[in-house]
Amino acid sequence: MKNLFKLLSIIIVIIAPNSYSFAAEKVEYLKTDWSFKGLFGKFDRASLQRGYQVYTEVCASCHSMKYLSYRNLAEPGGPEFSEAQAKAIAASFEVTDGPNSDGEMFTRPGKLSDKFVMPYDNVKAAQAANGGAYPPDMSVLVKARGGGVDYIYSLLQGYEDAPSNVSLDDGVYYNKYMYGNKIRMAAPLSDGLVEYGDGTNATVEQMSKDVTTFLMWSAEPHLEARHQMGFKAIVYLIILTVLVYFSMKKIWSRVESEV
Amino acid sequence: MSDHDYRPKSKVGQWFNDRLPLLTLANHLTDYPTPKNLNYWWTFGGILTFCLITQIVTGLTLAMHYIAHADMAFESVEHIMRDVNYGWLIRYIHANGASMFFLAVYIHIFRSLFYGSYKAPREIIWIIGIIIYLLMMAAAFMGYVLPWGQMSFWGATVITNLFSAIPLVGEGIVTWLWGGYSVDNPTLTRFFTLHYLIPFLILGLVVLHIWALHVPGNNNPVGIDIKKPSKDTVPFHPYIVIKDGFALLMFMIVFAFFVFYAPNILGHADNYIEANPMVTPAHIVPEWYLLPFYAILRSVPDKLLGVVAMLSAILILAVLPWLDTSKIRSAVFRPLYRQFYWILVADVLILGYVGAMPAEGLYLLIARVATAYYFLHFLVILPVLGFKEKTLPVPLSITEPVLGGSPNLAAARNRESKIE
């Protein structure tokens, strides 16, 4: 057993610092306190609501969020808008429905059961409107990027003037956190770009944090339920393990052997 | 075995048992004499059974909601994660369950390597185990393709393309496997079918694995043959049942930690991007449990030879009982083998590590040295060691070392003769 632990510790010492070394030019991401990390991590409700506002006023003009429905906005564990608010949000979007009894497509105000309306009809249209680059769907974006929330949070604040040795084409921007440092999205946020209803000062940092929190929820809508159930499950398992341990000791005391 | 004389107490039980001796089987399983010195490395057999059942149950539930179609698979997984009641829980158990399954099977295999459990008379148990392991890899690989993310698609492309290395018919075989000229919907639907089938094949082989085990009985840390039943054994129930149960609970705590607090840490972020045949990911890497073999594959410059090396690395295990020439089973009494064993463990871990790295420069060099050593261990070191190694004296029975006697053959003989 001693050998095993020795070996494991050697391996960890060798491997741990090198794990990510193949991204040689990797930079440290900006850090912030995420309320949803940790054993009891929960979303900050107000931040989620502000994040939705940033998403819908800024991101949603190019980025779709096709796996979410308006009803999700009122569900427990999310931004928890009231049902009336979520209905009003849904109704503010025009949804194409049909065909009706005349065989015609028609538009109507959105309902809770509708999926988030997409900014473009299809990928080609999105590319045509964005200089050939497709703005990725944001539903699971934080899970689809290596650095997760820290990466998105940093990226939104990572726009800089390009160093003199980097030349940028038209419509390409320099971002120190982007893979390869070149990004086709212009800096989306600027101080005071949105006006928060709760009076929070809309700095780039604040908006980045809020919208990233919202994106974490959109990728993991059941995160709070998962943390709560996880704590209960693990406490239950630990208690049961202790009980079984003592039962085992008792049973094995009948034979001359160690357990 | 010894329990042919078992007879149920009740009339109904006797009537039933005369027609289908299930009660005799149950009696055999509970009374099964087990060495009393089994340590916790022996609890992983039970843990693996648990893993298999968990994968089958969660898999069946997922299959009720999953849609095996290239245009809908990714969306249906998101539907499971968002809208199916506790769908997120079932999927995270299934996805992390695969990793837990492999963690347990690697411990199980390396336990066997340390204590020489593959040696006579247990060769068939071992070979069935290797077949189960091969099927597990096939099932896991195909399962990883089903969410139809970027790693699913490109992993499937890379692995199926390996068959094109076969001379003359290779290209034809790949087209046949794909059901078309690239990985596409026909590939996905057949992978789903096979992914559904293989666990039941594994289940059948597990029954054979346990059946074959119950003929000679368990090996044990001392690695000697023991009399059954005797002072050296305990009945399976309750002694081993409760011990396996305790170990399983410890394992489940680790499992639960991954499912509830780090459900995506063992996966690759790119698999949350829907499959796109037009965009190749920067690094295509398989799941962690296949990395050592991926490293072996890439360490050989020739494609065909690389595939041969990778397959040989697994199949060489099947002939291990005949490559290891030592008569002594347990590494406890083999001081030299013990050293080489730990070097092999380190070698496989290093292979896993370089398998995750790009195949270039220093990483490639390390991969080549580690691959060479892997084969050296099985083809040269093990056969030679059996003849050269001076082994330590082995006790006559388990009770001797357990009761504090030295693991010394002479001392044990003396004591035996005094008793007589």
Side-chain angles (χ1 to χ4, degrees):
Chain A
M1 255 7 49
K2 252 193 235 156
N3 279 335
L4 181 68
F5 287 122
K6 247 189 267 169
L7 191 89
L8 283 179
S9 44
I10 291 168
I11 301 244
I12 288 165
V13 168
I14 297 170
I15 290 178
N18 295 321
S19 305
Y20 297 102
S21 56
F22 66 93
E25 75 281 33
K26 187 177 160 106
V27 280
E28 273 298 306
Y29 294 133
L30 299 174
K31 296 280 180 225
T32 187
D33 293 330
W34 299 110
S35 64
F36 48 80
K37 296 242 161 130
L39 287 187
F40 305 101
K42 282 184 170 187
F43 290 114
D44 173 351
R45 225 53 74 194
S47 181
L48 276 183
Q49 296 198 354
R50 291 194 298 269
Y52 172 70
Q53 189 185 346
V54 176
Y55 166 73
T56 196
E57 289 180 18
V58 184
C59 319
S61 53
C62 300
H63 291 275
S64 60
M65 203 173 245
K66 59 183 175 185
Y67 300 124
L68 271 81
S69 306
Y70 294 109
R71 64 180 161 81
N72 296 140
L73 294 171
E75 282 168 2
E80 295 187 3
F81 287 108
S82 69
E83 195 169 315
Q85 283 173 314
K87 272 185 178 156
I89 288 169
S92 68
F93 292 91
E94 289 267 293
V95 175
T96 306
D97 203 348
N100 62 16
S101 49
D102 298 327
E104 307 285 340
M105 300 302 281
F106 60 94
T107 57
R108 57 163 175 79
K111 294 185 289 195
L112 285 180
S113 57
D114 286 320
K115 295 268 190 237
F116 278 22
V117 172
M118 310 235 280
Y120 303 104
D121 288 338
N122 51 57
V123 174
K124 289 282 179 216
Q127 284 173 327
N130 289 281
Y134 171 60
D137 184 83
M138 280 187 162
S139 310
V140 285
L141 193 67
V142 294
K143 290 202 283 187
R145 295 293 180 272
V149 282
D150 292 329
Y151 168 75
I152 303 284
Y153 177 72
S154 305
L155 184 95
L156 288 169
Q157 301 173 65
Y159 286 88
E160 282 180 352
D161 290 331
S164 51
N165 59 344
V166 177
S167 66
L168 296 173
D169 295 336
D170 226 20
V172 178
Y173 305 87
Y174 186 84
N175 188 310
K176 65 174 172 177
Y177 299 107
M178 180 75 185
Y179 187 76
N181 297 124
K182 292 180 182 176
I183 185 165
R184 301 292 278 272
M185 173 174 73
L189 301 174
S190 56
D191 288 336
L193 185 65
V194 300
E195 199 177 316
Y196 282 140
D198 62 2
T200 306
N201 192 9
T203 59
V204 169
E205 192 186 343
Q206 183 66 43
M207 287 186 286
S208 302
K209 186 169 179 176
D210 291 339
V211 80
T212 307
T213 304
F214 178 73
L215 290 176
M216 184 70 228
W217 167 75
S218 74
E220 279 285 310
H222 299 294
L223 177 141
E224 289 188 8
R226 172 155 61 77
H227 285 177
Q228 283 163 13
M229 188 191 284
F231 182 73
K232 285 183 210 156
I234 288 173
V235 167
Y236 175 86
L237 283 172
I238 289 173
I239 293 171
L240 187 59
T241 307
V242 170
L243 292 178
V244 169
Y245 175 77
F246 285 113
S247 317
M248 178 178 74
K249 279 289 182 195
K250 175 100 176 141
I251 289 173
W252 276 79
S253 66
R254 297 179 215 152
V255 285
E256 292 161 348
S257 184
E258 285 174 31
V259 191
Chain B
M1 267 153 282
S2 61
D3 39 29
H4 284 309
D5 46 356
Y6 169 77
R7 238 180 123 59
K9 286 192 190 80
S10 75
K11 274 262 159 61
V12 181
Q14 288 174 14
W15 178 89
F16 182 85
N17 206 49
D18 287 343
R19 283 149 184 82
L20 181 65
L22 273 186
L23 294 168
T24 303
L25 177 66
N27 178 260
H28 162 76
L29 291 176
T30 49
D31 280 358
Y32 172 64
T34 317
K36 67 179 180 183
N37 63 337
L38 296 188
N39 56 35
Y40 282 101
W41 300 114
W42 258 268
T43 59
F44 282 87
I47 288 171
L48 283 161
T49 314
F50 165 81
C51 287
L52 178 62
I53 303 295
T54 306
Q55 291 303 87
I56 289 178
V57 171
T58 52
L60 286 175
T61 324
L62 287 172
M64 294 173 190
H65 301 279
Y66 171 78
I67 302 169
H69 188 286
D71 296 337
M72 288 181 275
F74 191 86
E75 191 182 347
S76 74
V77 171
E78 278 308 311
H79 164 69
I80 290 168
M81 292 296 289
R82 290 161 194 279
D83 297 328
V84 174
N85 291 335
Y86 299 104
W88 57 269
L89 177 63
I90 298 164
R91 172 163 177 261
Y92 279 155
I93 290 175
H94 195 73
N96 287 285
S99 282
M100 293 296 119
F101 205 156
F102 274 94
L103 176 69
V105 92
Y106 282 127
I107 294 173
H108 193 63
I109 291 172
F110 274 101
R111 187 270 291 155
S112 190
L113 290 180
F114 188 84
Y115 294 109
S117 303
Y118 48 83
K119 292 186 196 183
R122 297 185 180 82
E123 300 95 321
I124 299 292
I125 313 173
W126 171 256
I127 290 169
I128 293 171
I130 296 300
I131 299 170
I132 293 173
Y133 174 52
L134 271 171
L135 285 176
M136 275 175 65
M137 288 200 278
F141 159 67
M142 290 190 213
Y144 197 58
V145 174
L146 302 185
W148 212 240
Q150 275 288 69
M151 275 303 156
S152 301
F153 182 89
W154 289 99
T157 303
V158 169
I159 300 297
T160 47
N161 255 316
L162 295 179
F163 290 89
S164 71
I166 301 168
L168 301 174
V169 292
E171 294 293 335
I173 288 179
V174 173
T175 308
W176 176 72
L177 285 174
W178 285 340
Y181 294 102
S182 66
V183 173
D184 206 339
N185 197 48
T187 326
L188 176 60
T189 49
R190 66 190 53 187
F191 275 23
F192 179 56
T193 311
L194 294 173
H195 182 72
Y196 206 120
L197 168 71
I198 290 173
F200 296 98
L201 299 182
I202 293 176
L203 187 64
L205 285 167
V206 166
V207 171
L208 293 184
H209 193 63
I210 296 171
W211 187 359
L213 169 70
H214 279 231
V215 176
N218 289 69
N219 183 29
N220 64 78
V222 182
I224 53 169
D225 291 323
I226 51 171
K227 258 197 231 137
K228 289 165 296 228
S230 72
K231 268 189 86 176
D232 283 350
T233 66
V234 289
F236 189 78
H237 183 77
Y239 296 96
I240 302 299
V241 168
I242 189 119
K243 191 170 172 178
D244 278 358
F246 170 67
L248 174 62
L249 283 166
M250 302 274 279
F251 183 80
M252 284 171 78
I253 292 172
V254 177
F255 195 156
F257 174 79
F258 278 105
V259 168
F260 292 108
Y261 291 107
N264 292 307
I265 204 164
L266 298 169
H268 196 291
D270 277 9
N271 228 28
Y272 278 105
I273 303 172
E274 192 168 1
N276 184 348
M278 300 300 172
V279 181
T280 317
H283 300 283
I284 301 174
V285 278
E287 291 272 79
W288 68 267
Y289 38 79
L290 302 176
L291 287 173
F293 300 105
Y294 194 54
I296 291 174
L297 169 75
R298 296 191 305 176
S299 69
V300 182
D302 181 77
K303 190 174 175 183
L304 177 61
L305 292 179
V307 175
V308 171
M310 181 177 69
L311 286 176
S312 319
I314 303 165
L315 295 178
I316 204 168
L317 294 172
V319 289
L320 179 61
W322 297 275
L323 288 173
D324 186 348
T325 49
S326 176
K327 292 279 174 279
I328 304 296
R329 291 198 191 100
S330 174
V332 172
F333 304 103
R334 300 184 61 190
L336 278 176
Y337 174 70
R338 205 157 62 212
Q339 308 293 329
F340 285 113
Y341 170 85
W342 287 110
I343 296 173
L344 179 74
V345 174
D347 188 62
V348 171
L349 289 173
I350 288 166
L351 278 172
Y353 172 64
V354 293
M357 297 294 135
E360 59 198 26
L362 186 62
Y363 292 129
L364 188 58
L365 182 69
I366 295 172
R368 285 183 176 158
V369 173
T371 300
Y373 183 81
Y374 181 90
F375 286 105
L376 189 77
H377 176 90
F378 289 107
L379 293 176
V380 179
I381 294 173
L382 279 189
V384 173
L385 214 53
F387 298 110
K388 297 282 177 203
E389 188 177 33
K390 247 184 91 71
T391 55
L392 302 177
V394 176
L396 283 178
S397 83
I398 292 173
T399 323
E400 291 300 328
V402 168
L403 289 180
S406 59
N408 184 313
L409 194 60
R413 277 208 186 109
N414 278 339
R415 214 164 296 148
E416 289 264 306
S417 57
K418 265 180 214 158
I419 292 164
E420 281 165 15

